[in-house]
Amino acid sequence: MTTSRRTLMTAAAAAGLAATAVGTGTGTAYAKGGGRAVKEHFGTLADGTKVDRWTIENGRTRLSVLTYGGIVQSLEIPDRHGRLGNVSLGFADLDSYVAGSPYFGALIGRYGNRIANGKFTLDGHAYQLPVNDGPNSLHGGDKGFDKRVWSIEPFEDGGNVGLTLRRVSPDGEMGYPGKLTVRVDYTLTSAGDWHIDYEATTDKATVVNLTNHTYYNLGGEGTGSIYDHRLQIAASRYTPVNKTLIPTGELAKVAGTPFDFRRSKAVGRDIREAHQQVLYGQGIDHNFVLDKGITSRPEHIVTVSEPESGRVMRIATTEPGVQFYTGNFLVGTLAGTSGQVYRQGDGFCLETQHFPDSPNQAGFPSTVLRPGQTYRSTTVHSFSTR
C-alpha cells in the first residue's frame, strides 16, 4: 500500500500522468491505459452530505463502491458464457441503505463481528461500546464505519486500477479509544481479481478488526437461494457460540458437524440439521478457524462455485479466520437492486477477520493495535468459470 507505487487517476494528478476527465452525463470518467474509473452522484444524506458512487473495471470485472460506508453496491463478473452479472446483494438507492441495510457490501469497523455486552478492558481501562445486537456490540456499534462517509480517490498501478478509501475515526468514536487513521484500497487487477488492502494506525492503544460485508450470490443478485452453491473452506475448527452468538472460547473440530467444509459440498446440504449451533445461528453464522493461521501474505482459504452460471470465486487472505454467514436474517422485508425480494438464504458472506470477541478471549489471536504499530490485512477474491 505504498503511495510511491500508485498514481492517482485524477485531473489534478502528478505531472506526467496525463489522466483524462470525460463528462458522462451525471458522472465523470477518469481513464488511463486499460483501466477506467467513473464517479457519479448517488444521493444526499439528511444532513446535506453528498454521496458518490465510483465504478472501476478491469479484466472483465466491474466494481461499484459508495462513499457512504465504503459499500460495494455492485460486483459484476462473467458467467461461463461471458455474460456479466451482478453477484452482490444491495440496493438501487441511498435511502434504502440508510433506512436499514443489513450491512450489504459495507466496510466494517472499528471491530468486525461481535463483542460481548459491548465491553472490553485494555491496559486496565474498561470501555463501553454501543449495544446494537441483543446484549452485544456488532460491527463497530450503531454508527460504525458502514454508516460513515469516506473520501475516495482512484489510482492506477501498472495494469491495476483501484480506489483508495480514507477516514480518520476520532478518539472515543463509538466508545473505542484512540484516533484511528484508516486507509483501504479496493484494487482490480488486469486479470479481474479484486484485492482489499486494509491499513490503520492509532495514537492510543485500541482494538481493530476490519472486514468487508459483501453478500454474494454467484448465480446473480436476486436469483434466489445460494444453497446449491458448492463451498470448500480450509478450516478444521470453528468457534462455537452461545445463544447470543458470542464465542464460548472453544476451538471445536468441524468433523462430524454441519460446519465441515473441508471438502467441497453444497451450502445447504446440512443446514437444516438439528445441531444446536445451527439453531443458535438460524443457519450458519460462525467464525471458521483457518488452518493456515495468520500469514504475512494472502493464502488460499475458500473456493465457492455456482453450478448453473459456472462462476467460481476463490478467496485468499492474511487473516486467521473467516465468518461464514448464510443470510439467515433476510426475511422478505427488503427488495434489492433487481427489484426482487430477498429471503433467507438468498446470499452468503465470507468475512475474513480476526475472531469475534477477541478483546475478551485471551486464547484468541490479539486484535490490539498500539501507537507506532500499523494494522495491515489483505484479502484477494479471484474469479473464473468452469
Side-chain angles (χ1 to χ4, degrees), residues 238-242 248 259 275-283 286:
Y238 75 108
T239 52
V241 295
N242 64 22
T248 63
F259 303 93
H275 189 286
Q276 184 61 67
Q277 289 296 307
V278 174
L279 294 172
Y280 280 156
Q282 299 180 37
H286 291 73

Side-chain angles (χ1 to χ4, degrees), residues 94-117:
L94 179 61
D95 289 347
S96 295
Y97 284 105
V98 174
S101 171
Y103 304 99
F104 285 147
L107 201 169
I108 300 296
R110 289 188 186 190
Y111 199 96
N113 221 305
R114 296 172 175 88
I115 294 180
N117 302 309

Side-chain angles (χ1 to χ4, degrees), residues 301-324:
I301 58 155
V302 163
T303 301
V304 58
S305 61
E306 198 279 319
E308 187 170 340
S309 68
R311 293 187 180 99
V312 179
M313 178 172 68
R314 294 177 174 84
I315 299 177
T317 190
T318 56
E319 289 295 293
V322 61
Q323 183 85 4
F324 178 44

